[in-house]
Amino acid sequence: MTEMAIGGPLEGEKRAASGIHTSEAAKLRLKSRYSAERRFKLYGIAAIVFALAALATLLFTILGNGVTAFQQTFVRIPISFEAEAIDTSGKRDIDELRRGDYAALIRSSLSKQFPDVTDRLGQRQLFGMFSAGAPDQLRDMVLAEPGVIGQTRDVWLYASSDVDMLNKGFIDRKTPEQSRRLSDRQISWVDTLASSKAIEKRFNARFFTGGDSREPELVGVWGAVVGSFFTLMVCLSLSLPLGIMAAIYLEEFAPKNRFTEIIEVNINNLAAVPSIVYGLLGLAVFIGFFGFPRSAPMVGGLVLALMSLPVMIIASRASIRAVPPSIREAALGLGASKVQTVLHHVLPLAMPGILTGTIIAMAHALGETAPLLMIGMVAFLVDIPSGPLQAATVLPVQVFMWADSAERGFVEKTSAGIMVLLVFLLAMNALAIFLRKKFERRW
Amino acid sequence: MNGNGNGAHGVGVNFPLKMTNRKVNVFYGEKHALKGVDLDVRANHVTALIGPSGCGKSTFLRCLNRMNDTIASCRVTGEIVLDGQDIYAKEIDVVQIRARVGMVFQKPNPFPKSIYENVAYGPRIHGLARGKPELDEIVSHSLKQAGLWNEVNDRLDEQGTGLSGGQQQRLCIARAIAVQPEVILMDEPCSALDPIATAKIEELIDELRKHYTIVIVTHSMQQAARVSQRTAFFHLGNLVEEGDTQTIFTNPKDERTQGYITGRFG
C-alpha cells in the first residue's frame, strides 16, 4: 500500500491529474486519516469518562459515608425531675441548678424502667447507652424552664455513639460479644426500647449549631465555620486591597526595567511556594516575633493573606490587562490624568475579573489546612469563637481532626464535615461564575 | 476633488498659525520614525496628513497632544509650539495640553457607560461645569455640534457602546468637543465606518472647522481632497510636500507625491 501511495503521483502524470484524489489509494489514505481522527476523539472521551468516574466515586463515597451524620439516634425515657437531686435547697437558685446531679435523674428513671437490672455492671451499661451530653440536656431544660422541677416528662435524650452506630447499622450483631462495643444485654435493651418506639433517629441540629466535642454524637461544625469566617475576613481585608494596589502599580505605572522584571518573576514564584512554608513563616513572624496569640483566626488570616496575595496579584493583573488600550487612550486623550484613567475607567472595567479571581483565591484559602496546623489552629475547642483574636479552628482542620479520631462515630462526621466544606466551596465558585456572567463585557 | 474643502468657510493667510512645528524627530528606541518635520497648522483649517502605511503621519499626529508620552520607548525632539508655547517644555502640564488639543481615534472607543456620561466625563474632570444644569447644557450642546442630538436625545442614559459605528464615532467627537479644545486631532476617524457614516462625519468636520482647528490623518485621498484645505504628504518618516489641498492634488511638486496620489504606489 505504501508503494502505491508513493507510486501514485508518478502514475498520475501519465493518467489524468484528477485521478490523484479519487484513486483507490486516495480513498484508503482518507480512510486512515478519518480513523486516526476518530481514535483521537476517543482518547479524549476516555479521559473525560475516567475523570468523571473518579469524581463520582469520590462524591458517592463522601455522600454514602456522611449522609447518616445529619441524623442522630435519640432515646425517649420518662424523667421525673425530682427536687432532691437537683434543687435540695428548694430555692431555684441558678448556681445550684447548674451543679445538680442530672445523671441521677437518668439513672433512677432507668432503674424504674428496667427493674430486673440490679448488678453494677448492668446498671453502668444501661447508663452507658446514653451520651455523656444527656445530663447536660436535662440541665439546659431545667435552666430554661425551672417550673419543670417536680414534674415527670418524656424526654428524648442523646443516645451514646455506640447505640447510634448500632441503630444506623454500622455494628454487626454477628460479631462475637467481646470484640463488639455493645454487649448482648445492651443490644437487647435497644431492641426493647425500639419495640416501644422509644428509640428514634432524628435530625441532628446540633451538628450545624454546636462546637467540637470528644463525643462523636455531640460534635458540631459551627465552631469551625465561624473560625473559617473570621480567618477569611482577615485574609480578604488584607489581600484584596494589597493585591489590587500591587496589580495596578505593576500593570499601569511601573517602569519596565530589570527591577520590576525581578519582582514579577518572584510574584509568579511565590504563587508556587508550598503552603506549609507560609505556615512556618507565620509561626516565626506573627507569633514568634510580633507575639500574636496562637490558634487565632487573626494569625491564620494573615498567613492565608500572604499565601493568596501572589494569586490575587496575578489574577488582578490579567483582568487589568484585558481592559482594551483604546479605553485608556480615550481617557488620556480627554485630558484625564493617569490616576484618573485608572480609577475611573480601567479599574471599574477590571473589577468583575478581579472579584472572580478573589473569590477563587478565597475558596482556595478556605480549603487550606497545612499552614494553619503550623500556627496552632489545630486545637480542640468546644466554644464557638467570638472574635478574630480568640482561639479557633477552621473547617478543613476540623475535618482533619475528626478523621484522626479513632471512634467509629467520627467516620460519618468526617464525611459530613467535608460535605459542609464542599457546599461552601461550591457556593463561592457559583458566585464567581455568576459575577463573571453578569458583568461580562463584549468590546 | 469636488472642491467642497475651499467653499463653505473662509480660508487663507489671514487666519493665524495655530501650531508651528520645527525639526520634529521621533525615535522608537533605535528606530528613527519621523525625520525633521516642519509643518504649520493654520487656525480654522482642516489639515490632512496623507501617505502610505508606516510613513509617520499617525506618529506626528500623536506628538501634537503628547499621546506618544504613553509609549515608554518613544522619544521626541524638536519644537511643537501651540499658540507660542512649546508643549514639550518642562513646565507644561500634559493634562492641560490634552484638554486644549483633543483627539478622536481610528476605532470608535466610547466608554462603556451611558451616552450622557461619555460626553459629561471630560467637562467633569476638568471642572468646566458648575452644577448639573450647566453640565446638561454642555452635553446637549456638544451632541448638537456633533450632529448626534436628534438621534439620541431621548435615550441619553443608554450605553454608548450600543450605538452604531458611525454614531459611536460622532459620540467620540462630541466627547472631545465637550472639553472645549482648540485643536481636534483625528486619526483615520472613518476607516472603520461605512460610506454613509463616513459622509456624515466628513460633513461634520467641515462644520466643526468654524470653531476648531482640525488635523486629520486619512488613508483615503478622496477624503483628504473633500474635507481639507491644507494637505501634507508623508513618506518614510519625511514630510515630502505640504501646501494647499488643491495644489497638492492637481499640481504636486514632488514626483513621490504625484506617484502616490495617482495610485502608482502606496
Side-chain angles (χ1 to χ4, degrees):
Chain A
M1 204 160 313
T2 329
E3 283 159 29
M4 271 185 73
I6 293 167
L10 287 173
E11 284 172 44
E13 282 172 20
K14 282 179 244 158
R15 284 202 315 263
S18 62
I20 291 176
H21 295 297
T22 50
S23 66
E24 280 307 305
K27 276 178 194 155
L28 281 172
R29 281 200 305 274
L30 204 59
K31 207 175 148 196
S32 78
R33 212 164 83 192
Y34 278 132
S35 63
E37 278 173 24
R38 260 197 303 277
R39 264 200 312 280
F40 187 76
K41 235 188 265 177
L42 217 61
Y43 296 148
I45 293 172
I48 288 177
V49 166
F50 180 76
L52 283 182
L55 189 66
T57 314
L58 175 79
L59 286 180
F60 191 73
T61 315
I62 291 172
L63 263 173
N65 281 340
V67 77
T68 49
F70 300 122
Q71 286 202 315
Q72 199 62 46
T73 305
F74 286 80
V75 179
R76 186 191 62 203
I77 56 168
I79 296 284
S80 55
F81 293 89
E82 292 141 0
E84 48 266 34
I86 52 177
D87 189 27
T88 38
S89 66
K91 286 187 208 145
R92 304 286 193 266
D93 179 44
I94 296 286
D95 279 339
E96 197 184 351
L97 290 180
R98 206 166 270 153
R99 276 184 320 237
D101 186 2
Y102 294 95
L105 298 183
I106 299 173
R107 279 199 202 92
S108 71
S109 165
L110 286 172
S111 62
K112 266 181 238 155
Q113 218 178 349
F114 298 94
D116 49 324
V117 181
T118 49
D119 58 309
R120 285 189 62 84
L121 177 68
Q123 283 175 341
R124 200 184 303 143
Q125 284 186 348
L126 199 51
F127 183 65
M129 286 167 48
F130 290 89
S131 163
D136 299 341
Q137 247 184 305
L138 294 176
R139 185 195 58 202
D140 293 343
M141 261 182 86
V142 171
L143 288 175
E145 187 194 350
V148 83
I149 295 171
Q151 296 180 357
T152 300
R153 293 218 180 151
D154 276 356
V155 184
W156 286 99
L157 292 176
Y158 274 96
S160 76
S161 180
D162 296 330
V163 172
D164 185 42
M165 289 298 107
L166 179 75
N167 195 30
K168 286 171 178 168
F170 295 131
I171 291 181
D172 188 1
R173 288 163 188 253
K174 286 183 212 113
T175 323
E177 188 178 7
Q178 60 270 22
S179 50
R180 166 170 15 100
R181 303 261 308 172
L182 286 172
S183 69
D184 287 345
R185 283 167 88 192
Q186 282 177 312
I187 289 180
S188 74
W189 293 327
V190 168
D191 291 341
T192 314
L193 286 168
S195 65
S196 59
K197 295 222 171 9
I199 196 158
E200 201 175 280
K201 278 187 281 185
R202 298 178 147 202
F203 176 67
N204 184 12
R206 193 187 185 112
F207 184 73
F208 297 103
T209 58
D212 200 7
S213 169
R214 289 279 178 230
E215 314 296 332
E217 72 274 16
L218 297 178
V219 299
V221 82
W222 185 243
V225 169
V226 173
S228 275
F229 175 76
F230 284 135
T231 309
L232 283 190
M233 281 302 117
V234 173
C235 174
L236 182 68
S237 56
L238 211 69
S239 59
L240 183 62
L242 283 181
I244 292 181
M245 292 318 252
I248 288 178
Y249 179 75
L250 286 175
E251 207 50 51
E252 299 284 336
F253 296 101
K256 300 275 171 281
N257 56 27
R258 174 158 290 207
F259 182 66
T260 48
E261 243 169 58
I262 290 174
I263 289 180
E264 260 174 51
V265 169
N266 279 303
I267 287 173
N268 293 338
N269 281 342
L270 279 179
V273 168
S275 58
I276 193 137
V277 177
Y278 287 102
L280 280 169
L281 179 79
L283 179 64
V285 175
F286 299 126
I287 296 178
F289 186 73
F290 288 113
F292 281 132
R294 262 166 212 280
S295 314
M298 181 77 189
V299 182
L302 287 172
V303 168
L304 292 182
L306 288 183
M307 195 196 78
S308 42
L309 249 184
V311 182
M312 302 257 292
I313 293 175
I314 291 169
S316 304
R317 287 187 67 179
S319 51
I320 288 174
R321 209 174 309 150
V323 175
S326 66
I327 295 294
R328 291 183 186 81
E329 290 202 320
L332 290 173
L334 281 176
S337 67
K338 190 90 200 190
V339 174
Q340 283 174 326
T341 304
V342 171
L343 291 186
H344 295 169
H345 299 287
V346 177
L347 198 54
L349 292 175
M351 217 51 205
I354 293 177
L355 284 186
T356 310
T358 305
I359 293 171
I360 303 280
M362 286 302 106
H364 192 186
L366 174 67
E368 197 53 70
T369 321
L372 302 181
L373 299 183
M374 297 306 301
I375 56 156
M377 288 192 90
V378 68
F380 169 74
L381 295 161
V382 179
D383 294 326
I384 313 286
S386 58
L389 282 171
Q390 281 197 319
T393 190
V394 294
L395 271 169
V397 176
Q398 184 71 77
V399 170
F400 168 74
M401 286 194 284
W402 287 342
D404 216 23
S405 305
E407 277 172 83
R408 180 63 181 81
F410 277 115
V411 173
E412 57 173 26
K413 305 296 179 192
T414 306
S415 292
I418 292 172
M419 277 152 71
V420 172
L421 184 58
L422 284 181
V423 165
F424 276 106
L425 290 176
L426 287 180
M428 288 170 86
N429 283 340
L431 183 68
I433 291 169
F434 171 75
L435 281 178
R436 192 161 55 214
K437 287 275 169 237
K438 188 165 161 56
F439 293 106
E440 207 170 44
R441 265 177 212 288
R442 287 182 227 299
W443 302 100
Chain B
M1 270 195 267
N2 52 12
N4 180 13
N6 281 346
H9 318 292
V11 285
V13 285
N14 44 351
F15 285 91
L17 292 180
K18 189 71 189 168
M19 299 187 87
T20 48
N21 309 296
R22 293 288 171 269
K23 296 199 185 69
V24 178
N25 284 286
V26 177
F27 302 86
Y28 291 118
E30 291 300 301
K31 190 172 173 269
H32 196 173
L34 212 55
K35 297 162 191 162
V37 172
D38 297 339
L39 181 64
D40 294 338
V41 177
R42 204 169 278 284
N44 297 88
H45 280 55
V46 177
T47 306
L49 312 181
I50 60 169
S53 295
C55 67
K57 54 194 191 302
S58 279
T59 298
F60 179 72
L61 189 76
R62 291 168 65 94
C63 288
L64 299 183
N65 70 344
R66 292 184 57 176
M67 279 304 277
N68 280 335
D69 288 15
T70 57
I71 300 165
S73 63
C74 179
R75 195 158 54 81
V76 180
T77 65
E79 256 184 6
I80 297 176
V81 175
L82 173 66
D83 283 343
Q85 205 172 30
D86 186 353
I87 66 168
Y88 275 85
K90 270 211 175 67
E91 69 276 8
I92 291 295
D93 186 353
V94 65
V95 164
Q96 199 195 5
I97 290 299
R98 291 191 193 137
R100 290 176 67 190
V101 184
M103 191 153 188
V104 176
F105 296 86
Q106 182 173 3
K107 221 180 111 207
N109 56 353
F111 299 127
K113 299 182 179 199
S114 72
I115 294 171
Y116 182 93
E117 282 303 316
N118 262 287
V119 184
Y121 180 70
R124 202 175 270 154
I125 57 170
H126 293 293
L128 298 185
R130 264 161 290 146
K132 174 90 171 137
E134 223 174 304
L135 192 60
D136 288 352
E137 176 56 34
I138 292 178
V139 170
S140 64
H141 180 73
S142 306
L143 285 170
K144 277 173 197 157
Q145 270 201 304
L148 196 60
W149 178 251
N150 291 336
E151 291 160 59
V152 301
N153 60 19
D154 53 344
R155 46 179 178 142
L156 290 179
D157 50 353
E158 276 177 32
Q159 286 276 308
T161 43
L163 296 172
S164 75
Q167 288 174 326
Q168 285 190 22
Q169 196 60 296
R170 276 180 284 151
L171 178 61
C172 291
I173 293 174
R175 183 175 67 183
I177 293 171
V179 185
Q180 295 162 32
E182 298 157 35
V183 182
I184 301 177
L185 310 177
M186 296 187 174
D187 191 357
E188 296 181 43
C190 301
S191 66
L193 305 181
D194 67 59
I196 293 170
T198 302
K200 277 193 181 158
I201 302 265
E202 287 179 5
E203 255 172 63
L204 177 59
I205 290 172
D206 199 53
E207 196 59 35
L208 291 175
R209 183 163 80 81
K210 274 190 265 179
H211 309 283
Y212 308 96
T213 304
I214 294 173
V215 184
I216 181 172
V217 165
T218 176
H219 262 130
S220 151
M221 280 169 290
Q222 289 83 351
Q223 184 171 64
R226 281 194 299 262
V227 303
S228 74
Q229 291 77 48
R230 305 281 295 176
T231 296
F233 173 66
F234 284 73
H235 186 237
L236 298 176
N238 296 301
L239 174 63
V240 174
E241 191 172 350
E242 137 332 276
D244 277 350
T245 299
Q246 291 257 308
T247 319
I248 293 277
F249 278 93
T250 52
N251 192 14
K253 287 197 270 305
D254 195 288
E255 63 184 62
R256 284 172 293 179
T257 317
Q258 175 138 34
Y260 185 69
I261 60 172
T262 53
R264 260 185 280 142
F265 76 93

